[in-house]
Structures are given as structure tokens and as C-alpha cells.
């Protein structure tokens, strides 16, 4: 079974631009979560999608948005990029079955905002 | 909101020494998970604890879940260089999103 796939692997953008990141979950997983990882802040939860609906949302500004498609693939969009948005963005999928809630992470997208 | 704390932030040990990281949640958890992230890698699931007072072992790793389901610990016996990485706990607040602790970065000197 293929793992969680994130594209692109690296991105360089300038302030004010917008960016879209993509995540393809493990086949059969209907939940996709997004996390921002920075050296000083650890893993910060952005949002979780399940069956095309946002299930939970973290404490991030409205510039951060996401969506999920019918095939469970998810995209995350960040508009009006700021220098502080530079981070590793990780997505994780999980199968929402009882007792099997572990997260499977992708390799992440390293975003640099100049 | 729910907060999850971990101590220590960093730990440097000599190969063969033991290592322990502690995780504390501000709220009662339905379950807690532990992940390991190697340098340059992504977090990988290690284990899930569900029951109050639960203890689980994986070879040299011992995981505990507190009686009040608000704290947990990971203990590694006789560390090896392959144990290097950052260990995260993640608390599940009864169906809400997982809240990750800031992690403990472990360095093992050969």
C-alpha cells in the first residue's frame, strides 16, 4: 500500500504570494489532517477533513484554508504569505475505524517565504 | 484550549544510558499516542495507550499512561544511536483533534 504523498517537496515563495499544497492519503483513509512544524513551535494543528467536510480547525488565521475532494485527496492553501509562514507542512491520514486512529504522516512540504 | 507539555526539551545521553521523556496534558485524554521523528524525516507512530494506568513495552521502549489519563511517559533502556530523534506525545481529547506536545529531542553519543 502506498504511503501518504505530499507535493511539492519544496517550495520557495515571496511575501504576499499564495501557495497550494497537495496531499494524497493512504488508500481507504478518509481523514486528512494538516500540521505546521517549525523548530520552535513543534507540530501545530491546522485542520482536519473527513469525507470532504472540515471536522476540526486549529488556531490559525483565515489565510490558511483547505479542502478535501471526493477521492479523499486534500489541498491546503495559504494566501498573502508572510515570512513567519516558512515551515514544514505535514499532512497525515488515518482510517476512522474504532481503535485504529493512528496518524500516518507524509514527508511534508518545506515552504520557504522570502 | 487543551495544552500538552513535554519535558525535557532536549536530552543528551551516552550510548547505553537510559532515557525518559514525560508528557502532561491540561485535560483528561481519551488516549495518547507517541511518535518518533528522525532528523530530516516525518513523525512515525510508535504506540497508542488507551486505558488508565496502562503500560506497554516494545523491546527497549516502555510506555505508561497515568491513572488520571492526563500524563504519560516513554522510557528507553540502554539507548542506541538508532534511538536518535525527536519523540512526540499526542493527546486525543475525546474525538477532537490530536494535540501534539513540543517533543523531546534525544541525542545519543557513541
Amino acid at each position: 500500500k502506498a504511503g501518504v504523498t505530499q507535493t511539492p517537496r519544496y517550495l520557495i515563495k515571496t511575501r504576499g504570494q499564495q501557495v497550494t499544497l497537495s496531499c494524497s492519503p493512504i488508500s481507504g483513509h478518509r481523514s486528512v489532517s494538516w500540521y505546521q512544524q517549525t523548530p520552535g513551535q513543534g507540530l501545530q494543528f491546522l485542520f482536519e477533513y473527513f469525507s470532504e467536510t472540515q471536522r476540526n480547525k486549529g488556531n490559525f488565521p483565515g489565510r490558511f484554508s483547505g479542502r478535501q475532494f471526493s477521492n479523499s485527496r486534500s489541498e491546503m492553501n495559504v494566501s498573502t504569505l508572510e515570512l513567519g509562514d516558512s515551515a514544514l507542512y505535514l499532512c497525515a491520514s488515518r482510517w476512522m475505524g474504532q481503535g485504529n486512529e493512528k496518524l500516518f504522516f507524509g514527508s511534508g512540504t518545506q515552504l520557504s517565504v522570502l | 484550549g487543551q495544552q500538552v507539555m513535554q519535558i525535557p526539551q532536549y536530552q543528551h545521553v551516552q550510548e547505553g544510558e537510559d532515557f525518559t521523556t514525560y508528557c502532561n496534558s491540561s485535560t483528561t485524554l481519551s488516549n495518547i499516542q507517541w511518535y518518533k521523528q528522525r532528523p530530516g524525516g516525518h513523525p512515525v507512530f510508535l504506540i497508542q495507550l488507551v486505558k488508565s494506568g496502562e503500560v506497554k513495552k516494545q523491546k527497549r521502549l516502555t510506555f505508561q499512561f497515568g491513572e488520571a489519563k492526563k500524563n504519560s511517559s516513554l522510557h528507553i533502556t540502554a539507548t542506541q544511536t538508532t534511538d536518535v530523534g525527536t519523540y512526540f506525545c499526542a493527546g486525543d481529547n475525546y474525538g477532537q483533534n490530536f494535540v501534539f506536545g513540543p517533543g523531546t529531542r534525544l541525542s545519543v553519543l557513541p
Side-chain angles (χ1 to χ4, degrees):
Chain A
K1 217 182 227 184
V4 178
T5 304
Q6 288 189 249
T7 57
R9 186 70 180 89
Y10 301 96
L11 263 179
I12 299 176
K13 293 286 187 179
T14 56
R15 279 183 301 172
Q17 288 187 310
Q18 75 163 14
V19 67
T20 300
L21 313 181
S22 178
C23 173
S24 293
I26 291 173
S27 177
H29 286 193
R30 294 162 62 192
S31 163
V32 174
S33 299
W34 288 89
Y35 291 85
Q36 181 194 67
Q37 185 173 33
T38 55
Q41 298 296 319
L43 282 155
Q44 300 294 313
F45 173 75
L46 282 153
F47 27 66
E48 179 187 13
Y49 286 88
F50 177 73
S51 294
E52 302 179 64
T53 302
Q54 189 178 84
R55 186 168 176 264
N56 286 308
K57 188 178 188 304
N59 190 25
F60 276 81
R63 300 185 296 108
F64 292 81
S65 63
R67 59 178 176 169
Q68 187 180 34
F69 302 95
S70 58
N71 61 358
S72 294
R73 189 178 72 85
S74 178
E75 286 183 348
M76 190 190 92
N77 184 274
V78 188
S79 63
T80 319
L81 284 166
E82 301 177 358
L83 295 178
D85 296 333
S86 295
L88 178 66
Y89 289 88
L90 293 160
C91 87
S93 75
R94 58 175 169 162
W95 179 62
M96 298 293 283
Q98 190 175 8
N100 190 17
E101 303 287 330
K102 62 184 177 184
L103 296 168
F104 293 83
F105 283 87
S107 297
T109 294
Q110 184 68 54
L111 172 65
S112 298
V113 182
L114 306 177
Chain B
Q2 179 191 6
Q3 292 187 338
V4 176
M5 295 146 283
Q6 273 184 265
I7 56 170
Q9 188 176 2
Y10 301 96
Q11 184 78 57
H12 305 278
V13 299
Q14 204 72 36
E15 189 172 20
E17 292 182 336
D18 292 355
F19 159 77
T20 304
T21 175
Y22 300 91
C23 176
N24 286 286
S25 170
S26 58
T27 60
T28 303
L29 302 169
S30 58
N31 67 80
I32 195 161
Q33 297 183 354
W34 285 89
Y35 291 81
K36 177 185 177 181
Q37 185 173 23
R38 294 180 186 275
H42 57 273
V44 175
F45 175 83
L46 292 175
I47 208 156
Q48 176 174 277
L49 303 170
V50 179
K51 300 176 183 176
S52 169
E54 189 170 15
V55 178
K56 286 188 175 180
K57 292 190 176 184
Q58 286 181 349
K59 298 182 180 178
R60 295 179 294 104
L61 278 62
T62 301
F63 303 84
Q64 292 188 340
F65 200 10
E67 294 290 340
K69 300 184 76 173
K70 294 180 72 173
N71 62 299
S72 181
S73 65
L74 157 60
H75 179 82
I76 302 178
T77 303
T79 54
Q80 300 175 359
T81 54
T82 54
D83 295 325
V84 165
T86 302
Y87 293 85
F88 294 96
C89 63
D92 183 1
N93 188 11
Y94 293 95
Q96 302 302 313
N97 56 283
F98 283 100
V99 177
F100 279 78
T104 295
R105 183 183 294 181
L106 173 64
S107 298
V108 180
L109 306 174

